Amino acid sequence: SIDDFQSDEWNTAAVGPTKRDRADVLIRRLRERFAPGGFLHYGQGKWYPGESLPRWTFSLYWRKDGLPIWSDPSLIAVEGRRYEVTEDDAGRLLTAIAGELDITPDMVVPAFEDPGEWILREANLPDNVDPANSKLKDPEERNRLARVFERGLTRPSGYVMPVQAWNSRASGRRWISEKWRTRRGRIFLVPGDSPVGYRLPLNALPYIPPSQYPYINPMDPSIPRAPLPNFQEDAGRPLQAAHFEPFAPDHTPQPRSAEEIGGYVRTAMSVEPRDGRLCVFMPPTVSIEDYLDLVASAERAAAQLGLPVHIEGYAPPHDERINVIRVAPDPGVIEVNI
């Protein structure tokens, strides 16, 4: 930092209050200089002993053939700016993405914080404090408790859409989905501070025998590949086919069997409002083609609704047709990996 020589984040600490903002400015300047058509991924990086969560890492991906992955930089939410988005905006965006992928909008479902977990934590507080001022010694636990009860346990934390690339392209459907059903009737998230996509209750979904489980096996990076398609040319499905209806408390999920959808799906996209921005969680994919298709669909949906977003979650599979530069926090500095 050229204007702050005293703060811990510019001397000994890896993270701090202004380092994410500085890193966002830096990664955008790198995008302008090296990759005007690249896309920014706001993900997780290294996890060091003694730290409760992995450190953040901003990554810039671009194609070696020069074709754009993300065309409109104004649709990339600026770090530190609050856009006053709500969970309804998250549902509308994910429903628009579903339309781009030719997935029916009823596959988009709300995800909630687990009320049983948080009511028990509240019950264990001293009787002279409340969740907003819990007096807990651990600041992370204190902020977590206050944030959950400030939002409320009846409002969704985000929206989830199970999605997986279809194995047989002869079927005419590039992507498939599944109506996730649980014994409790709703999607209740695993407690924590990570994005919704990292806290999905996969263990609560119906059991799948190992021989039928849809494992994500990355492709061998040493196999020669054909040129990447231009995903920006695909206009997607009209937005009118993906109408979003806000969550109603009396909504009852309608489960479907795996036979109805032609297989099991255990990966999902999710969208949640966090820190004033809409964050789109990317699932793991087998190939870079699948990943770039999802990114292009997210940009088209964001453009249709006029909602800037952050792309987060799983990073693209390694592929020699893609370049990457990463910006990450390190004690006292911002580190650039090329």
Side-chain angles (χ1 to χ4, degrees):
S1 177
I2 63 171
D3 54 4
D4 181 3
F5 302 106
Q6 305 301 323
S7 298
D8 289 343
E9 62 180 330
W10 302 115
N11 286 275
T12 57
V15 296
T18 67
K19 192 170 281 189
R20 281 183 66 105
D21 295 346
R22 296 288 193 271
D24 188 44
V25 173
L26 176 58
I27 197 74
R28 290 171 187 268
R29 292 178 62 184
L30 292 170
R31 182 182 186 274
E32 294 173 0
R33 173 64 179 85
F34 295 106
F39 92 96
L40 300 184
H41 180 271
Y42 296 83
Q44 293 183 339
K46 298 178 181 178
W47 193 355
Y48 287 89
E51 297 182 2
S52 60
L53 288 172
R55 297 176 183 174
W56 50 264
T57 296
F58 300 165
S59 302
L60 166 64
Y61 292 91
W62 73 98
R63 295 171 55 145
K64 292 183 178 180
D65 59 14
L67 293 176
I69 298 177
W70 191 281
S71 299
D72 189 352
S74 67
L75 294 175
I76 306 173
V78 177
E79 185 73 29
R81 181 184 301 177
R82 302 191 68 87
Y83 294 86
E84 304 303 328
V85 291
T86 66
E87 59 269 16
D88 286 347
D89 294 321
R92 291 195 301 128
L93 178 62
L94 190 55
T95 302
I97 296 174
E100 293 289 340
L101 300 175
D102 198 25
I103 292 174
T104 57
D106 62 334
M107 295 300 178
V108 177
V109 295
F112 301 88
E113 299 297 337
D114 191 336
E117 173 75 21
W118 293 103
I119 290 173
L120 181 61
R121 293 193 186 189
E122 182 187 26
N124 288 329
L125 291 174
D127 61 0
N128 60 343
V129 301
D130 57 57
N133 186 21
S134 58
K135 306 295 185 181
L136 294 173
K137 294 181 179 180
D138 184 356
E140 289 187 358
E141 180 67 18
R142 186 169 61 245
N143 293 335
R144 185 183 304 123
L145 190 67
R147 184 171 60 252
V148 168
F149 280 95
E150 180 181 3
R151 180 175 55 240
L153 295 175
T154 60
R155 293 171 56 186
S157 297
Y159 282 80
V160 175
M161 177 182 66
V163 64
Q164 183 175 302
W166 183 236
N167 293 327
S168 175
R169 300 188 183 186
S171 65
R173 293 184 61 86
R174 176 68 176 142
W175 297 93
I176 61 170
S177 186
E178 175 186 358
K179 180 72 75 171
W180 280 355
R181 63 187 189 276
T182 65
R183 186 182 295 270
R184 300 170 68 183
R186 293 183 182 177
I187 302 297
F188 290 116
L189 301 170
V190 176
D193 294 324
S194 297
V196 164
Y198 285 131
R199 301 193 288 127
L200 299 176
L202 299 181
N203 289 336
L205 301 179
Y207 171 76
I208 302 177
S211 61
Q212 301 180 24
Y213 197 91
Y215 293 105
I216 302 297
N217 298 310
M219 298 181 66
D220 185 349
S222 66
I223 297 176
R225 309 286 180 85
L228 286 170
N230 185 1
F231 295 98
Q232 296 291 323
E233 294 179 348
D234 181 12
R237 195 166 119 180
L239 183 61
Q240 292 85 337
H243 175 66
F244 169 70
E245 297 181 359
F247 168 77
D250 59 349
H251 172 71
T252 302
Q254 299 296 323
R256 296 184 180 182
S257 66
E259 290 74 15
E260 292 182 56
I261 63 164
Y264 294 100
V265 178
R266 287 298 179 267
T267 55
M269 291 187 74
S270 64
V271 180
E272 64 176 305
R274 192 172 64 252
D275 299 327
R277 298 179 296 276
L278 284 182
C279 300
V280 179
F281 185 94
M282 298 293 292
T285 62
V286 171
S287 68
I288 190 68
E289 288 88 351
D290 295 339
Y291 194 96
L292 297 184
D293 192 9
L294 294 177
V295 170
S297 298
E299 183 183 8
R300 288 194 296 269
Q304 290 166 353
L305 299 179
L307 294 172
V309 300
H310 267 186
I311 300 294
E312 63 180 18
Y314 286 84
H318 176 75
D319 194 290
E320 63 177 10
R321 296 168 291 180
I322 299 292
N323 278 323
V324 61
I325 290 179
R326 292 187 174 90
V327 172
D330 217 34
V333 299
I334 293 174
E335 176 183 286
V336 179
N337 298 288
I338 60 174

